[in-house]
Amino acid sequence: MSRIAQFFITRKSAVLGSLLILIAFQTAPVSGAAPASATGNPAPKLTIQDTPINRELKAAASVAPVVKKVAPSVVNIYSTVTIHDRPNPLRNDPFFRRFFGDESESQAQPRTHREQSLGSGVIVSPDGYILTANHVVENADKVKVALASGEKEFDAKVIGTDPATDTAVLKVDGKNLPAITIADSDKLEVGDVVLAVGNPFGVGQTVTMGIVSALGRGGFGINNYENFIQTDAAINMGNSGGPLVDAEGRLVGINTWIISGSGGSQGLGFAVPINMARYAMERLISEGKVARGYLGLLLQPEMTPELAKQFNLPSMNGALVTTVDPDSPAGKAGFKDGDFVTEFNGQKVKDMRQFRLMVSQTAPGRKVTLRILRDGKEKTLTATLGEMSKEALAGNGQGQPGGRSQSKTDALNGVEVADLDAQARREADIPGNIRGALVSKVDQDSNAAEAGLRAGDVISEIERQRVGSADEAVAASEKAKGDRILLRIWRGGEGRGGMLFLSVDNAKRK
C-alpha cells in the first residue's frame, strides 16, 4: 500500500505556521492620543480619520493637491552604524605573520568602520513622533532626520523598535511639525489609488502612484507577522519607512520591501498596514515594548481540500490545531489536537496566518472567545491570553538527522522508518516529549515524496492512533484503510519545530 500526503509547504519551511500562537485582534482606530505612558514618553497626538475614501468620485486630472498635503510630513532618515571588522586569522599564523610585521593579532588594535544608510519616515504627531521601518534604523549608533524642505535637521532618538512587524518609532525635539492624517487601513479595498512617497536612491523626495494590488499578503518569511498591503506604486531603495497614502493623502501603510530580480521596482511593493504599525507604535511609546497575546497552539501552515474532507470541515476557512501545550491558556481552555478554529472574538478566521495575527494584537490578560469545529460539531471555548515570550517569538532553526541504522521499510511505499533513539534526538535536536517513528528515507519517486513527507520527519500518529516506534508505525500503516490516510508528524524548524497533519493518498499507484 502506498501512503502519502497532499501537503503544500510554505516557501520558508521554518515558518511551520505552527509557531506558538502568539495572537491578537486588530484594534479599531480611535481618534486622539494614546493611553498615559508608563515609560515617561509623552503620548502621541494623532490625527485620525477612520472613514473610507469616497470611491464614487471621478478620477482627477492631477494628484498635486494630495502631494502638497502629504509631502511636508515625509522626512529623510540618515542612520550610521559602526561595523567591527573581523580579525584576520592569518595574523596568528607564524608563516604569514611576517607580512603583517611583528604585531600579533592580540596586540593589534581592533578595526572598525562606519556605514551610512538612507531611508524615509513620516511625521505622525506635531510634537515629533516619526514612524519608519525597523530595518532603516536597526543597530544604528546615530540617527538624523531631515525635513522635506531641507531647512532643518534633527538628531533623533529611537523610542523603540518592533522587528516582528518591521516597525520603528523615532522622536525629535520639535513643535508644530507637519503631521500626517492617519486612516483606517482595514477599510482599504483592492483597486484603491495609493501614492508612495520617499527618497529613493537619495535623489530627493519622489512621489509614485499606483493602486492597492492585494491585501493581507503574507507567508514570505520577511517578518514574524505579515499582513502586507501590496501595491504597484514604485518603491525603491531609500523608500523604506516612507508613507503609503490614499487618494485623500491619509497614511495607510509604511513602505517596507519589494520583490525584484534587479533591485529596482518591478511593480511588486509591500507596505505594513498602518493599523498594525500603529498598534506597535502606541505600545512602544506607552510601555516600552510590544506585548503580544499568547494561546499556546501550534497550527497547520496550509489547509488542503483533502485535509478539510478528512476532518469533516464545511470549508477551508479557519486554522487547524496540530498541537496544544497542556499548560498554556489554550490547554486550560480545553483545546485539543485537530480542533479547527473558525472565529476569534466574533471575527471570522480566514487562515492560520490571520489567526496568529489576531491573537498577537490582543493584549495579554484579556479573556477571548473562540468558535471551533471538533469532530464535525461546533463548540465555543473561552481562554485568558498569556504573554508571548521573546524566546518563543524568535525561535531557532533545527538541523536534519542523517541516515539511521536498523531501518525498516513500512507499508508506506518508498518510506523507511527507524526507532527514535537517543542518537537521533541529539543529531536532529528532537525534543524529549516527541514520540513516534523517525522517517530515515523517502523514495523521491514515491507518493510520499510527492506529498511532502521527507527524511527527518517523525511520524507520531497514523489515522489518529499514536505510534511509539518503527514497528508500531509499520503495523498501523498496514491496518489503515481508505483512499486517504491521515498522518500526524513532527518536523524540525524555527521554535524547535512543530506538528503537522499530512493527508496520505492511499489509492494512487506509482
Side-chain angles (χ1 to χ4, degrees):
M1 257 198 267
S2 39
R3 328 208 178 302
I4 214 49
Q6 199 71 14
F7 172 60
F8 301 97
I9 303 172
T10 54
R11 188 174 71 88
K12 189 172 183 181
S13 60
V15 184
L16 281 174
S18 324
L19 287 176
L20 288 165
I21 183 169
L22 342 161
I23 311 177
F25 66 89
Q26 285 282 26
T27 54
V30 179
S31 297
S37 172
T39 61
N41 294 318
K45 299 176 182 178
L46 309 176
T47 301
I48 299 168
Q49 293 180 358
D50 59 4
T51 55
I53 61 171
N54 186 348
R55 296 184 176 90
E56 300 302 319
L57 295 177
K58 293 182 179 179
S62 172
V63 294
V66 178
V67 174
K68 289 177 182 178
K69 178 182 177 182
V70 171
S73 303
V74 185
V75 298
N76 298 332
I77 297 176
Y78 305 91
S79 60
T80 304
V81 180
T82 300
I83 306 297
H84 296 274
D85 297 328
R86 298 181 66 181
N88 190 332
L90 298 180
R91 281 183 176 274
N92 284 330
D93 187 291
F95 176 79
F96 289 101
R97 190 179 299 157
R98 56 182 173 167
F99 297 105
F100 298 102
D102 295 332
E103 188 178 45
S104 68
E105 181 62 30
S106 60
Q107 297 170 322
Q109 293 295 317
R111 298 185 179 186
T112 62
H113 70 278
R114 291 187 173 185
E115 292 184 355
Q116 291 188 324
S117 60
L118 172 68
S120 303
V122 58
I123 301 169
V124 294
S125 72
D127 57 344
Y129 281 110
I130 294 169
L131 261 179
T132 186
N134 170 66
H135 72 267
V136 170
V137 297
E138 191 171 23
N139 300 321
D141 303 307
K142 192 173 185 179
V143 179
K144 285 188 174 292
V145 169
L147 297 183
S149 63
E151 297 175 356
K152 198 160 188 178
E153 190 174 271
F154 299 89
D155 288 324
K157 177 183 178 182
V158 179
I159 296 296
T161 63
D162 183 38
T165 58
D166 197 22
T167 301
V169 183
L170 311 181
K171 180 71 168 63
V172 299
D173 292 328
K175 294 181 179 179
N176 300 318
L177 296 178
I180 199 166
T181 298
I182 297 175
D184 179 358
S185 53
D186 285 346
K187 293 178 180 175
L188 279 175
E189 293 184 7
V190 174
D192 286 347
V193 172
V194 287
L195 307 177
V197 190
N199 187 0
F201 300 106
V203 300
Q205 190 175 95
T206 302
V207 181
T208 55
M209 188 171 95
I211 63 169
V212 173
S213 304
L215 294 166
R217 289 295 199 210
F220 302 106
I222 303 297
N223 300 339
N224 289 89
Y225 296 101
E226 298 180 344
N227 188 35
F228 296 116
I229 301 166
Q230 182 182 328
T231 179
D232 62 346
I235 297 173
N236 288 292
M237 291 178 62
N239 274 114
S240 287
L244 188 73
V245 302
D246 64 17
E248 295 179 11
R250 303 177 304 174
L251 181 62
V252 295
I254 301 296
N255 299 321
T256 183
W257 74 290
I258 61 173
I259 293 177
S260 173
S262 64
S265 174
Q266 293 184 331
L268 287 169
F270 299 88
V272 175
I274 190 55
N275 287 9
M276 180 188 288
R278 185 179 150 215
Y279 177 89
M281 175 186 70
E282 292 182 346
R283 273 135 198 87
L284 288 171
I285 293 172
S286 64
E287 303 167 22
K289 65 175 184 177
V290 183
R292 291 189 159 87
Y294 166 78
L295 265 178
L297 300 175
L298 299 182
L299 303 171
Q300 180 80 8
E302 294 286 344
M303 281 298 297
T304 66
E306 291 77 17
L307 280 175
K309 184 177 180 180
Q310 289 203 290
F311 280 91
N312 193 26
L313 302 176
S315 77
M316 294 191 295
N317 292 328
L320 180 62
V321 175
T322 63
T323 306
V324 183
D325 180 350
D327 297 323
S328 69
K332 295 173 182 176
F335 270 94
K336 294 183 179 180
D337 302 342
D339 285 347
F340 191 69
V341 184
T342 58
E343 285 188 18
F344 176 80
N345 261 2
Q347 293 180 293
K348 296 290 185 183
V349 173
K350 179 182 177 183
D351 54 27
M352 174 278 297
R353 186 175 48 80
Q354 183 215 23
F355 183 39
R356 290 183 64 238
L357 182 62
M358 293 164 76
V359 177
S360 72
Q361 290 185 277
T362 302
R366 177 167 177 172
K367 185 174 287 187
V368 296
T369 301
L370 303 101
R371 300 284 287 178
I372 67 167
L373 288 173
R374 179 183 295 167
D375 298 327
K377 298 178 181 179
E378 195 169 54
K379 295 179 68 71
T380 299
L381 300 178
T382 301
T384 300
L385 297 182
E387 181 175 345
M388 172 57 57
S389 67
K390 289 183 179 179
E391 291 76 16
L393 180 60
N396 58 88
Q398 307 299 324
Q400 292 294 335
R404 307 247 42 83
S405 57
Q406 301 176 345
S407 293
K408 305 179 179 74
T409 302
D410 72 351
L412 293 169
N413 290 347
V415 177
E416 292 184 5
V417 292
D419 289 335
L420 191 54
D421 57 20
Q423 182 184 352
R425 290 185 185 279
R426 286 194 303 271
E427 290 182 0
D429 198 13
I430 299 172
N433 64 321
I434 300 300
R435 298 286 184 271
L438 178 68
V439 177
S440 57
K441 181 180 178 182
V442 180
D443 188 337
Q444 293 305 303
D445 294 327
S446 67
N447 284 342
E450 181 182 292
L453 190 70
R454 62 197 193 201
D457 291 345
V458 177
I459 300 174
S460 66
E461 292 182 11
I462 297 178
E463 286 291 274
R464 309 301 290 271
Q465 298 298 312
R466 294 186 182 276
V467 297
S469 66
D471 286 336
E472 289 182 14
V474 172
S477 64
E478 289 174 344
K479 294 178 182 177
K481 305 296 181 183
D483 290 340
R484 305 198 72 85
I485 306 300
L486 186 67
L487 300 183
R488 186 166 181 256
I489 68 164
W490 178 90
R491 176 172 294 163
E494 279 191 16
R496 294 185 63 78
M499 304 299 292
L500 303 171
F501 287 106
L502 303 183
S503 178
V504 179
D505 187 343
N506 193 38
K508 184 168 58 176
R509 301 278 180 184
K510 280 283 187 178

